[in-house]
Amino acid sequence: MEAFLQHIINGVSLGSIYALIALGYTMVYGILQLINFAHSDVYMIGAFIGFYSARWLNVSDAPGYGSFFSVLFIAMIGCSILGFTIERLAYRPLRKAPKLNALITAIGVSLFLEYSGQIVFGATPQVFPNILEDSIVATFGEVRVTKFDATILITTFALMLILRHIIQHTKLGKAMRATSFNGPWASLMGINVDRIISMTFVIGSALAAAGGILVGIKYPKIEPLMGVMIGLKAFVAAVLGGIGNIAGAVLGALIMGLAEEFVVGYGASTYRDALAFGILIIILLFKPAGLLGKFTVEKV
Amino acid sequence: MSALLDVKNVRVKYGNIEALKGISFTVQSGEIISLIGANGAGKSTTLRTISGLLTPVSGEVVWQGKPIHHMKPHDIVKLGLLQSPEGRGIFANLSVLENLEMGAYTRKDSKEAITKDLENVYLLFPRIKERLRQQAGTLSGGEQQMLAISRALMGRPKLLLLDEPSLGLAPQIVETIFSIIKKINSEGTTILLVEQNAFQALKISHRGYVVETGEIVLSGKGSDLLVDPKVREAYLGG
Ligand SMILES: Nc1ncnc2c1ncn2[C@@H]1O[C@H](COP(=O)(O)OP(=O)(O)OP(=O)(O)O)[C@@H](O)[C@H]1O
Ligand SMILES: [Mg+2]
């Protein structure tokens, strides 16, 4: 029983990181019907911005919430700018082109970021700076909640509340929902659709950066290809929840995190990464629209 | 007097298909103008072009003396041209109130002014008020049409463009919608109305234009077109 509870905590912690990344996939898809393959690399850059900003702030060995939040903040701002720039330079010129062109461009941007990362940061893994020190913050019998997990949970929860507020209650969020329903109609309301698309990239990228920092503190080894596998899992999570659906992305990510934790926890860790593909195949076979998605035929 | 809207010899293509073959007409301040014509004549294309969703290959759309056919749709809205598009354009995933708020998206005036306009909309369409919190996608066709018109009104239009507001509605609701269009006009809003229901449209219009395969083939006062033999034969069932 206690092992089970421990797995739940670990799984939710992992799932909430997947959720931060999955949200970016699903928001961009919801508005542009584009799978932004470069998103996982924005997450990677977020981790590296964390790495360098910790040095620059001189907090690489000064663990504490002050260091953690400053690094988090800088990474989120940095990735917002990166996401904005990627959309502006790579995707906007293709707005009127067939969807496939944008998709191929997304793969190109992804490769560009990965290999530029290898040139700039080096291909060998780096140790993420020690900006937060782990400890046990609560124990229930044998079940332990670590400071890392608590930080991950509280940070993602707070970010999701902010996101929810933006989407549900602000003018920007309403315009985002209107644009994702129908862009031309939204423009007839006076909504600047290009600006809304930019903001979607900005928000999604900031969340991915937060994911990069949280992974950095918990699994402190970062390298330019670190986004590939986690990006794939987050993408599967978004598909599982119903791509384009924000609540779905969070639900899908939690399911992915828990499933992975249980597979590993009960001895089948070799299947850790295969699990994502297994889940993807099962959804595509039985519920292609995802758990919360509505199935629509893709117009090409 | 110079026109509020002057559409000059506008040609529009979808790929190789020429949907508008040089359309010209004017809208004066205070008028209701209707564009009538059969399916595929180019009526919606005309409205989409005025709103900036399509760019003409030649010709001009002039608003208060200034060409607007190269402007973006959202900037054209800021000039005071609001369109309730073909198919109503309701955001089904937003609540009814949020749809109305989207209509007021570009407005910079006070919350109070917007609230006051909401109250006006509720006076015109009491049913909208009862359904504010509902998802707009759950409204009936007639209610969605009322919402689409209300939403455009929330933008304080100088020119209201309506694309087939009567489409698919029960006869009683059609009556209501047309009488409300007339009322909106009498309160000072200029209206450009696209309709297949030529009889109802011409009845409330100051002037009308008949569109056929991308060209204007006839124009005149609403009351004259109503009794014109060609119009009667083609659009009013003889
Ligand atoms: N997106 C499009 N791509 C290609 N052709 C189009 C497109 N939209 C309209 N057309 C063509 O342009 C012509 C004019 O269409 P439009 O929608 O303006 O007609 P309409 O007068 O509004 O008709 P209806 O009364 O059926 O709404 C039609 O021949 C139509 O087939
Ligand atoms: Mg039409």
Side-chain angles (χ1 to χ4, degrees), chain A residues 11 15 32 41 51 58 83 131-132 137 144 159 183 188-189 235 274 290:
Chain A
L32 279 184
D41 305 299
F51 178 86
N58 235 333
I131 54 172
L132 201 64
V137 289
R144 278 178 268 185
L159 289 172
L188 290 179
M189 302 294 106
F235 172 66

Side-chain angles (χ1 to χ4, degrees), chain A:
Chain A
M1 183 62 201
E2 280 168 339
F4 179 80
L5 280 179
Q6 189 69 57
H7 287 315
I8 297 271
I9 292 174
N10 297 349
V12 170
S13 165
L14 182 62
S16 62
I17 291 176
Y18 289 159
L20 286 177
I21 305 166
L23 282 165
Y25 281 111
T26 224
M27 284 165 58
V28 166
Y29 187 88
I31 251 169
L32 279 184
Q33 286 76 52
L34 167 74
I35 298 164
N36 178 18
F37 286 107
H39 187 59
S40 58
D41 305 299
V42 172
Y43 149 88
M44 172 275 289
I45 303 272
F48 275 96
I49 295 178
F51 178 86
Y52 287 106
S53 63
R55 276 194 187 173
W56 177 67
L57 291 173
N58 235 333
V59 296
S60 290
D61 224 347
Y65 279 110
S67 312
F68 169 72
F69 282 115
S70 341
V71 166
L72 179 70
F73 181 74
I74 295 174
M76 288 176 77
I77 298 289
C79 283
S80 298
I81 297 168
L82 177 65
F84 178 90
T85 312
I86 291 174
E87 191 279 325
R88 201 56 178 255
L89 297 183
Y91 302 144
R92 187 173 298 184
L94 295 173
R95 196 84 88 223
K96 294 212 166 87
K99 297 251 161 71
L100 192 59
N101 299 22
L103 204 66
I104 292 167
T105 304
I107 296 173
V109 175
S110 172
L111 294 173
F112 173 77
L113 292 175
E114 284 166 17
Y115 293 105
S116 311
Q118 296 198 335
I119 293 169
V120 178
F121 311 134
T124 41
Q126 311 256 24
V127 179
F128 196 75
N130 180 22
I131 54 172
L132 201 64
E133 215 156 29
D134 207 5
S135 58
I136 310 283
V137 289
T139 46
F140 309 97
E142 296 278 293
V143 181
R144 278 178 268 185
V145 181
T146 65
K147 190 171 181 181
F148 281 176
D149 285 333
T151 306
I152 289 171
L153 284 172
I154 293 169
T155 309
T156 44
F157 190 67
L159 289 172
M160 281 174 203
L161 280 184
I162 296 170
L163 178 69
R164 196 189 131 78
H165 174 78
I166 294 175
I167 303 258
Q168 292 301 325
H169 301 296
T170 66
K171 196 169 168 179
L172 169 67
K174 292 170 195 176
M176 284 171 74
R177 281 184 285 143
T179 305
S180 87
F181 190 77
N182 187 311
W185 288 350
S187 71
L188 290 179
M189 302 294 106
I191 294 169
N192 183 343
V193 170
D194 280 336
R195 184 174 297 160
I196 298 299
I197 292 169
S198 289
M199 285 312 294
T200 306
F201 275 84
V202 163
I203 294 172
S205 304
L207 294 175
I213 300 302
L214 292 174
V215 167
I217 61 167
K218 190 162 178 192
Y219 312 95
K221 213 181 71 178
I222 61 171
E223 44 105 8
L225 298 182
M226 66 187 275
V228 177
M229 192 46 77
I230 199 169
L232 191 85
K233 289 175 184 171
F235 172 66
V236 171
V239 175
L240 173 60
I243 192 147
N245 184 309
I246 288 181
V250 177
L251 177 68
L254 289 176
I255 293 174
M256 283 286 296
L258 286 166
E260 188 174 325
E261 172 68 21
F262 278 101
V263 165
V264 175
Y266 289 105
S269 52
T270 10
Y271 295 109
R272 169 175 225 152
D273 293 339
L275 181 72
F277 297 100
I279 291 180
L280 183 62
I281 290 167
I282 292 170
I283 336 160
L284 291 179
L285 282 176
F286 296 106
K287 200 143 186 346
L291 297 173
L292 302 184
K294 265 188 279 170
F295 190 79
T296 48
V297 180
E298 177 74 14
K299 272 193 261 175
V300 181

